[in-house]
Amino acid sequence: MPPSSIPNATNCMFLSSIAMFHRLSALMLPKSTRLFCNSSSHDLARTIAELNKEMEFVFGEAPPTSITGSSESQPVSQDSSGFMCTENIKDESKLTHVSVKGEAQMVDVSHKDISKRVAIASCKVILGKKVYDLVSANQVAKGDVLSVAKIAGITGAKQTSNLIPLCHNIDLTHVRVDLRLNPENYYVEIEGEAASTGKTGVEMEALTAVTLAGLTVYDMCKAASKDIQITDVRLEHKIGGKSGNWSRGK
């Protein structure tokens, strides 16, 4: 139906909507590559206020002041690049190793309380029957697989901050690595524990311990088979810190 045949009130709404669309489009597409530049932000606010008045005249009420319809809007600020951003974005971020600018950072733990920290991690190394029989009989050419992997895991835990870039250098008070053979499924089950009294957790040390132990098992046995798999590397339990105690499955 052409606009000329639309009733007067509806025609007014139709024409007003077109006018508002063109005015917003002209303002929201600046020549600059920035989303909102400093020189246009005040023009945007003034134009939105004028459009609200027109909407109130046409529809009988002003539109909501936020997208969700709430009369309260989030605080808005501009960063050095001229982009508009809400002030509470950084509060919603849960990645402590990422700064508000999206850059990698090492977390400052100087304000944290000193407490006992313990973490337990585990993994599996699936050998297959042929390699399993060699390991269990201690017939692998390189030597005692389980003993060498145990030492490797302990050494790995102490080198965690050198291997993982943003980890803190922690004074460990205890490291335990145990390896057990599972004759039913032909795999090695590895469990690692790390402990410290300090300001940050030792989860990464426990995870590094079992990972290095698993890699060592692979290295010791790879001549016999390339089909060995390292699986289920995971944290099982932690104690201490602001987040408290945690156990898998609870």
Side-chain angles (χ1 to χ4, degrees), residues 17-208:
S17 298
I18 293 176
M20 286 186 286
F21 172 77
H22 284 293
R23 291 170 67 184
L24 275 176
S25 299
L27 187 63
M28 295 294 286
L29 297 173
K31 294 180 180 180
S32 168
T33 57
R34 294 179 179 181
L35 181 61
F36 296 114
C37 63
N38 291 331
S39 61
S40 66
S41 60
H42 297 295
D43 294 336
L44 175 63
R46 183 170 58 253
T47 302
I48 290 176
E50 293 174 359
L51 293 176
N52 285 342
K53 291 181 180 179
E54 293 185 17
M55 293 284 284
E56 186 173 5
F57 173 77
V58 174
F59 298 105
E61 62 179 4
T65 56
S66 68
I67 295 176
T68 60
S70 172
S71 60
E72 298 181 358
S73 59
Q74 295 180 341
V76 178
S77 61
Q78 286 183 332
D79 61 18
S80 59
S81 64
F83 284 92
M84 304 295 287
C85 59
T86 56
E87 293 179 354
N88 66 345
I89 286 178
K90 67 178 181 178
D91 295 332
E92 296 175 357
S93 174
K94 301 299 182 182
L95 300 177
T96 56
H97 283 297
V98 180
S99 71
V100 294
K101 295 181 179 180
E103 301 171 346
Q105 67 176 2
M106 190 171 185
V107 178
D108 182 1
V109 298
S110 59
H111 65 283
K112 291 188 175 183
D113 296 330
I114 296 175
S115 64
K116 183 178 180 180
R117 314 284 185 133
V118 178
I120 297 175
S122 68
C123 79
K124 297 177 182 178
V125 184
I126 302 174
L127 302 174
K129 187 177 187 311
K130 173 186 174 182
V131 179
Y132 180 89
D133 290 341
L134 292 173
V135 172
S136 61
N138 198 16
Q139 296 296 314
V140 175
K142 284 191 173 184
D144 188 343
V145 173
L146 302 185
S147 296
V148 175
K150 180 184 182 74
I151 299 302
I154 295 172
T155 303
K158 296 189 292 183
Q159 296 296 320
T160 300
S161 63
N162 292 329
L163 299 171
I164 312 297
L166 300 180
C167 281
H168 294 83
N169 190 356
I170 296 177
D171 291 329
L172 294 172
T173 57
H174 174 66
V175 177
R176 170 182 62 84
V177 177
D178 293 328
L179 295 92
R180 292 182 290 272
L181 293 171
N182 185 309
E184 295 180 1
N185 298 302
Y186 308 118
Y187 67 75
V188 181
E189 182 179 358
I190 305 174
E191 183 177 270
E193 178 181 355
S196 175
T197 300
K199 295 186 174 186
T200 189
V202 289
E203 293 95 321
M204 293 307 302
E205 283 68 21
L207 287 164
T208 302

